[in-house]
PDB file of all heavy atoms in Angstrom:
ATOM      1  N   LEU A 237      21.639  75.143 -43.326  1.00 50.00           N
ATOM      2  CA  LEU A 237      21.411  75.275 -41.874  1.00 50.00           C
ATOM      3  C   LEU A 237      21.866  76.674 -41.460  1.00 50.00           C
ATOM      4  O   LEU A 237      21.225  77.327 -40.661  1.00 50.00           O
ATOM      5  CB  LEU A 237      22.141  74.181 -41.125  1.00 50.00           C
ATOM      6  CG  LEU A 237      22.126  74.330 -39.594  1.00 50.00           C
ATOM      7  CD1 LEU A 237      20.725  74.287 -39.098  1.00 50.00           C
ATOM      8  CD2 LEU A 237      22.952  73.253 -38.931  1.00 50.00           C
ATOM      9  N   LYS A 238      22.981  77.122 -42.014  1.00 49.00           N
ATOM     10  CA  LYS A 238      23.479  78.439 -41.683  1.00 49.00           C
ATOM     11  C   LYS A 238      22.420  79.492 -42.064  1.00 49.00           C
ATOM     12  O   LYS A 238      22.172  80.455 -41.296  1.00 49.00           O
ATOM     13  CB  LYS A 238      24.777  78.736 -42.405  1.00 49.00           C
ATOM     14  CG  LYS A 238      25.442  80.010 -41.996  1.00 49.00           C
ATOM     15  CD  LYS A 238      26.640  80.296 -42.867  1.00 49.00           C
ATOM     16  CE  LYS A 238      27.714  79.231 -42.732  1.00 49.00           C
ATOM     17  NZ  LYS A 238      28.955  79.602 -43.460  1.00 49.00           N
ATOM     18  N   ASP A 239      21.771  79.306 -43.182  1.00 51.00           N
ATOM     19  CA  ASP A 239      20.696  80.248 -43.548  1.00 51.00           C
ATOM     20  C   ASP A 239      19.543  80.198 -42.593  1.00 51.00           C
ATOM     21  O   ASP A 239      18.897  81.220 -42.346  1.00 51.00           O
ATOM     22  CB  ASP A 239      20.227  79.934 -44.981  1.00 51.00           C
ATOM     23  CG  ASP A 239      21.305  80.241 -46.040  1.00 51.00           C
ATOM     24  OD1 ASP A 239      22.061  81.201 -45.829  1.00 51.00           O
ATOM     25  OD2 ASP A 239      21.379  79.489 -46.999  1.00 51.00           O
ATOM     26  N   ALA A 240      19.245  79.039 -42.107  1.00 52.00           N
ATOM     27  CA  ALA A 240      18.140  78.907 -41.141  1.00 52.00           C
ATOM     28  C   ALA A 240      18.477  79.644 -39.865  1.00 52.00           C
ATOM     29  O   ALA A 240      17.635  80.325 -39.293  1.00 52.00           O
ATOM     30  CB  ALA A 240      17.879  77.443 -40.835  1.00 52.00           C
ATOM     31  N   VAL A 241      19.720  79.509 -39.415  1.00 53.00           N
ATOM     32  CA  VAL A 241      20.118  80.228 -38.214  1.00 53.00           C
ATOM     33  C   VAL A 241      20.030  81.720 -38.449  1.00 53.00           C
ATOM     34  O   VAL A 241      19.659  82.521 -37.584  1.00 53.00           O
ATOM     35  CB  VAL A 241      21.567  79.793 -37.819  1.00 53.00           C
ATOM     36  CG1 VAL A 241      22.105  80.701 -36.677  1.00 53.00           C
ATOM     37  CG2 VAL A 241      21.608  78.367 -37.370  1.00 53.00           C
ATOM     38  N   LEU A 242      20.352  82.168 -39.640  1.00 50.00           N
ATOM     39  CA  LEU A 242      20.336  83.582 -39.964  1.00 50.00           C
ATOM     40  C   LEU A 242      18.981  84.227 -39.643  1.00 50.00           C
ATOM     41  O   LEU A 242      18.882  85.361 -39.215  1.00 50.00           O
ATOM     42  CB  LEU A 242      20.698  83.766 -41.423  1.00 50.00           C
ATOM     43  CG  LEU A 242      20.801  85.187 -42.026  1.00 50.00           C
ATOM     44  CD1 LEU A 242      21.857  85.195 -43.099  1.00 50.00           C
ATOM     45  CD2 LEU A 242      19.460  85.584 -42.637  1.00 50.00           C
ATOM     46  N   ASP A 243      17.878  83.491 -39.919  1.00 53.00           N
ATOM     47  CA  ASP A 243      16.555  84.047 -39.748  1.00 53.00           C
ATOM     48  C   ASP A 243      16.230  84.352 -38.279  1.00 53.00           C
ATOM     49  O   ASP A 243      15.260  84.989 -37.997  1.00 53.00           O
ATOM     50  CB  ASP A 243      15.527  83.059 -40.313  1.00 53.00           C
ATOM     51  CG  ASP A 243      15.581  83.062 -41.834  1.00 53.00           C
ATOM     52  OD1 ASP A 243      16.047  84.001 -42.436  1.00 53.00           O
ATOM     53  OD2 ASP A 243      15.089  82.030 -42.396  1.00 53.00           O
ATOM     54  N   GLN A 244      17.039  83.816 -37.331  1.00 55.00           N
ATOM     55  CA  GLN A 244      16.778  84.106 -35.955  1.00 55.00           C
ATOM     56  C   GLN A 244      17.499  85.330 -35.419  1.00 55.00           C
ATOM     57  O   GLN A 244      17.352  85.733 -34.267  1.00 55.00           O
ATOM     58  CB  GLN A 244      17.249  82.904 -35.074  1.00 55.00           C
ATOM     59  CG  GLN A 244      16.237  81.745 -35.046  1.00 55.00           C
ATOM     60  CD  GLN A 244      14.978  82.193 -34.348  1.00 55.00           C
ATOM     61  OE1 GLN A 244      13.971  82.533 -34.968  1.00 55.00           O
ATOM     62  NE2 GLN A 244      14.950  82.173 -33.049  1.00 55.00           N
ATOM     63  N   LEU A 245      18.355  85.953 -36.233  1.00 57.00           N
ATOM     64  CA  LEU A 245      19.176  87.022 -35.774  1.00 57.00           C
ATOM     65  C   LEU A 245      18.485  88.374 -35.974  1.00 57.00           C
ATOM     66  O   LEU A 245      17.688  88.543 -36.910  1.00 57.00           O
ATOM     67  CB  LEU A 245      20.526  87.030 -36.517  1.00 57.00           C
ATOM     68  CG  LEU A 245      21.342  85.741 -36.399  1.00 57.00           C
ATOM     69  CD1 LEU A 245      22.636  85.869 -37.203  1.00 57.00           C
ATOM     70  CD2 LEU A 245      21.668  85.443 -34.943  1.00 57.00           C
ATOM     71  N   PRO A 246      18.843  89.367 -35.166  1.00 57.00           N
ATOM     72  CA  PRO A 246      18.313  90.732 -35.372  1.00 57.00           C
ATOM     73  C   PRO A 246      18.840  91.288 -36.662  1.00 57.00           C
ATOM     74  O   PRO A 246      19.912  90.949 -37.112  1.00 57.00           O
ATOM     75  CB  PRO A 246      18.831  91.473 -34.136  1.00 57.00           C
ATOM     76  CG  PRO A 246      19.996  90.747 -33.680  1.00 57.00           C
ATOM     77  CD  PRO A 246      19.724  89.316 -33.979  1.00 57.00           C
ATOM     78  N   GLY A 247      18.132  92.245 -37.210  1.00 55.00           N
ATOM     79  CA  GLY A 247      18.459  92.727 -38.519  1.00 55.00           C
ATOM     80  C   GLY A 247      19.856  93.295 -38.631  1.00 55.00           C
ATOM     81  O   GLY A 247      20.605  93.012 -39.574  1.00 55.00           O
ATOM     82  N   ASP A 248      20.231  94.171 -37.671  1.00 60.00           N
ATOM     83  CA  ASP A 248      21.570  94.815 -37.794  1.00 60.00           C
ATOM     84  C   ASP A 248      22.665  93.786 -37.627  1.00 60.00           C
ATOM     85  O   ASP A 248      23.697  93.845 -38.332  1.00 60.00           O
ATOM     86  CB  ASP A 248      21.679  95.923 -36.781  1.00 60.00           C
ATOM     87  CG  ASP A 248      21.422  95.458 -35.347  1.00 60.00           C
ATOM     88  OD1 ASP A 248      20.895  94.372 -35.176  1.00 60.00           O
ATOM     89  OD2 ASP A 248      21.719  96.231 -34.442  1.00 60.00           O
ATOM     90  N   LEU A 249      22.523  92.846 -36.706  1.00 65.00           N
ATOM     91  CA  LEU A 249      23.573  91.847 -36.529  1.00 65.00           C
ATOM     92  C   LEU A 249      23.641  90.895 -37.762  1.00 65.00           C
ATOM     93  O   LEU A 249      24.690  90.471 -38.141  1.00 65.00           O
ATOM     94  CB  LEU A 249      23.267  91.039 -35.230  1.00 65.00           C
ATOM     95  CG  LEU A 249      24.283  89.946 -34.887  1.00 65.00           C
ATOM     96  CD1 LEU A 249      25.675  90.540 -34.784  1.00 65.00           C
ATOM     97  CD2 LEU A 249      23.881  89.278 -33.601  1.00 65.00           C
TER      98      LEU A 249
END
Side-chain angles (χ1 to χ4, degrees):
L237 173 61
K238 188 186 297 186
D239 292 325
V241 172
L242 182 148
D243 289 338
Q244 279 295 99
L245 302 179
D248 54 347
L249 182 56

